[in-house]
Amino acid sequence: MTTRIEARFARLKEEGRPALVTFVMAGDPDHETALKIVEALPAAGADVIELGMPFSDPMADGPSIQKAGLRALKAGASMQRTLSLVKDFRKGDGDTPIILMGYFNPIYIYGVEAFVKDALEAGVDGLIVVDLPPEMDDELCLPALDAGLNFIRLATPTTDDKRLPAVLKNTSGFVYYVSITGITGSAAPDAGKVAAAVSRIKRHTDLPVCVGFGVRTAEQAAEIGGNADGVVVGSALVSAIEASSEKGGGDAALKAVTDIVASLAEGVRSARLAKP
């Protein structure tokens, strides 16, 4: 059966343009505002939504996403509430792919079998679990794939041709290429290096390749999107939520995020149109 993620990328391939993949943290700055933001993302231009699973020790994330997770936890976020957010989103949107992204610990505590079952029932389409290497596929990856969830793996600038086949072996939906070494939001990607890396990955797989980490502007999104199947933006949105919610509350956060997404979507949609 074709998943929502696979269907979305197939449609975008027909349209000849890359996807805009947006990341926000579940429960940030609070559950109600987070739900409103997620519900507004598709109309603003998001093609795929990554939803962060709040965790108290997010070692691969930069300060903005770390703080988002802590804000969410302080506001009462939990795995149960994250899944309920997805379920509520699905009441009004049956097409936009939702991917849960984060760390294995909250899933392990929830129980892998129960998590996979409840995630599917809520309307989750895929998982990105940044601290589960291919050597631990039995823990979550294979049960998730067997149940019909896509399992999206990260490739990085240090993932060489010898390591890449192991990374790709049980990956489905798309490959997430981390364009810089280090934590999220720490630097801007080099478009030339990204293009070369995407080309190299595509020699090993037919899966779409999406590029994230460091993309903040429409111009960057257009440049990266010219060589990738998708552009992932997270820290810029999370930072906007933090800044605007402190000043004007939930409505301000909602407007700030949708304004940025609309701008980024314009950049992404120009990426392939500009090609002859």
Side-chain angles (χ1 to χ4, degrees):
M1 193 174 98
T2 302
T3 66
R4 288 188 188 94
I5 296 170
E6 292 159 352
R8 179 56 52 98
F9 278 100
R11 196 193 84 193
L12 294 176
K13 186 176 182 180
E14 288 179 3
E15 293 179 11
R17 71 168 180 86
L20 175 59
V21 183
T22 57
F23 171 95
V24 292
M25 184 68 66
D28 177 36
D30 57 70
H31 185 82
E32 293 72 21
T33 303
L35 176 58
K36 288 179 183 177
I37 289 171
V38 174
E39 288 175 333
L41 287 173
D47 298 299
V48 179
I49 297 170
E50 292 178 0
L51 193 59
M53 298 177 285
F55 178 47
S56 57
D57 188 24
M59 61 277 197
D61 293 312
S64 59
I65 293 179
Q66 284 188 9
K67 287 190 285 185
L70 294 175
R71 280 195 304 273
L73 290 170
K74 189 176 180 180
S78 64
M79 186 63 79
Q80 288 86 350
R81 296 198 85 189
T82 296
L83 295 176
S84 75
L85 191 155
V86 177
K87 191 176 291 187
D88 287 341
F89 172 82
R90 283 282 170 240
K91 292 174 183 176
D93 189 319
D95 297 322
T96 304
I98 292 270
I99 298 161
L100 295 185
M101 183 173 185
Y103 300 82
F104 185 50
N105 182 271
I107 297 171
Y108 178 79
I109 291 170
Y110 193 96
V112 168
E113 187 176 341
F115 171 79
V116 169
K117 175 178 174 289
D118 291 352
L120 272 172
E121 288 180 358
V124 173
D125 303 293
L127 303 174
I128 301 174
V129 183
V130 300
D131 57 345
L132 275 185
E135 290 75 17
M136 297 177 69
D137 275 356
D138 288 344
E139 294 284 344
L140 176 62
C141 174
L142 296 180
L145 291 173
D146 288 344
L149 289 168
N150 287 130
F151 200 89
I152 295 121
R153 191 85 69 188
L154 303 179
T156 74
T158 59
T159 308
D160 59 22
D161 285 337
K162 185 178 179 181
R163 178 64 174 167
L164 198 52
V167 170
L168 295 172
K169 183 180 178 183
N170 290 315
T171 298
S172 69
F174 64 90
V175 180
Y176 187 144
Y177 178 67
V178 177
S179 61
I180 55 173
T181 54
I183 55 176
T184 56
S186 57
D190 181 312
K193 290 181 180 178
V194 168
V198 170
S199 177
R200 181 173 67 87
I201 293 168
K202 283 181 170 291
R203 290 197 290 271
H204 292 262
T205 182
D206 293 328
L207 290 171
V209 179
C210 296
V211 176
F213 281 47
V215 178
R216 289 182 170 273
T217 67
E219 291 75 22
Q220 288 173 330
E223 194 172 23
I224 297 297
N227 296 288
D229 300 294
V231 180
V232 187
V233 181
S235 293
L237 305 183
V238 171
S239 296
I241 290 171
E242 178 182 18
S244 53
S245 60
E246 286 176 354
K247 293 177 183 176
D251 289 343
L254 175 62
K255 184 179 188 309
V257 169
T258 52
D259 284 351
I260 294 171
V261 171
S263 173
L264 291 164
E266 195 173 320
V268 165
R269 281 158 175 74
S270 73
R272 297 287 166 86
L273 294 175
K275 288 189 170 184

